[in-house]
Amino acid sequence: MDKSILIVGGGTFGLSTAYHLAKAGYRSITVLEKGDTIPSPLSAGNDLNKIIRAEYESPDYAELALAAMEEWRSNPLFSPHFRQVGYLLGNSAAAPEKTRRTLAKSLASIETNPAFAGQITAINSRDDIGAVAPALDGPMEGWVGYFNRQAGYARASDALRAIHVAVKELGVHVILREAVVSLEYDKDRCTGAMTTSGSRYPADVVILTLGASVANVLPSIGRQITARSWVVAHVQLTPEEAAKLEGIPVTYSRDLGYFFEPDQKTGLLKVSPSGAGYINRGKDGISVPLEDNTRIPDEGQEAVRRILREHLPSLADRPLIKCKICWCADTADTDYVIDFVPGKQGLVVVTGDSGHAFKMLPVIGTWVKTLIESGQQTSARWKWKEGKENEEFGEVSWRVGKTKDLSDIHTVKLP
Ligand SMILES: Cc1cc2nc3c(=O)[nH]c(=O)nc-3n(C[C@H](O)[C@H](O)[C@H](O)COP(=O)(O)OP(=O)(O)OC[C@H]3O[C@@H](n4cnc5c(N)ncnc54)[C@H](O)[C@@H]3O)c2cc1C
């Protein structure tokens, strides 16, 4: 409890870690964040909303997601930002075999779990869709899947703002506009970090929670982490249109992409296409995020419109606004990396979110606390993945298509 803790990166993993360590009684915790706000424009969690669901091929992650969901429902810090509107998951008629198999696996992962008893409805016809989501008026011909009531979404940016306030109240020092450039060492012991401003922050334990940017500060992790991004776009609705769609489930056509209930305050409806994502490979072959994330691939615009045509056609020709690409830290097996850095004492890395960790915001910090108190990672899946080359993805079952490098394709800046 007397150890000084330096958390580098005030995003989803970093703030959850600060929260749980501070709650447990750690008295000297500092968070360094490159952005000038929380959420930072660079954070993968800086988003209107994120899906909260417990469909996982791995029963371990399913149990963790259920524990997190319980916090989203019952913890007053998180519950104001959670909407249990359900999850309508399926495939359009044109879906490839791969996303059909993924859907079957998703269903299998929850249908035998007692937590979902009575919560799942099979969707085999257009009428079935109408029964659970009457406001979706797109053709959706031949769309099959299921509706899971035990899921929904979090208002992601709002939840990050709330946990930021909570950690400050618990005595954590959160320092914005401090970008770490390098780590400091005394022989093999990490003793702190230095920032672009030239300031030095000494600490007993340094925890890197840099998301997709982790290889910028810890290049040795670059072989196991690939920064990968997807398009996020929004459509502006009138208050009447937003009210008409209030309460719609998070709707995910595996082969096309997904969208959320419109935000009733702003009238924004968020849409994001699925796919294998975009990388930005630098000279050394390691993909790291771009500084400017406001240019999106041309094909991304078309993919967003295809989603709207299928589900909400009256919105399909609207201007797309607040468009960006959003980066996550991918591992080859999509397992997180939560471990001490081999050969470096006092240095912990918490990354590898692989695009599925926002839902864990309420609980991530408990895993980090266990790690630093036990001194070793006992979960094989979260260990430092030495030797696991993350060049190309083989069979990540929920992704279709081929990863593209942003430097090879045309991108455009939309309003
Ligand atoms: C398109 C997309 C959709 C997603 N949808 C979902 C979803 O529906 N449900 C779900 O559960 N998860 C989802 N995720 C995943 C989720 O957003 C991430 O798993 C989670 O936000 C990762 O948290 P993190 O703390 O590792 O990274 P981040 O939240 O990105 O935090 C990293 C922080 O480090 C800061 N930083 C960077 N460099 C420096 C530096 N040098 N010094 C100091 N600070 C620095 C950044 O500004 C940032 O605040 C999605 C991800 C993407 C990309």
Side-chain angles (χ1 to χ4, degrees), residues 8-14 32-35 39-47 49-52 56 160 178-181 209-213 216-217 228-232 258 260 270 272 326-329 350-360:
V8 183
T12 311
F13 281 12
L32 299 180
E33 167 52 53
K34 177 177 179 173
S40 146
L42 273 179
S43 166
N46 177 31
D47 222 345
N49 36 41
K50 296 285 189 195
I51 306 169
I52 307 292
Y56 270 104
L160 288 176
E178 275 290 56
V180 166
V181 275
T209 50
L210 288 153
S213 305
N216 286 336
V217 174
R228 197 170 301 252
S229 61
W230 282 265
V231 169
V232 174
Y258 53 96
F260 295 77
K270 179 183 135 182
S272 189
C326 179
W327 295 89
C328 77
V350 186
T351 184
D353 69 280
S354 302
H356 63 94
F358 194 85
K359 67 178 73 61
M360 307 293 191

Side-chain angles (χ1 to χ4, degrees), residues 216 227 279-290 405 407:
N216 286 336
I279 57 169
N280 168 48
R281 228 189 273 286
K283 282 195 218 79
D284 52 7
I286 293 172
S287 173
V288 288
L290 295 168
D405 196 313
S407 57

Side-chain angles (χ1 to χ4, degrees), residues 23 31 35 42 123-124 133 135 298:
K23 263 201 353 173
V31 177
L42 273 179
I123 304 290
N124 294 312
D298 294 346

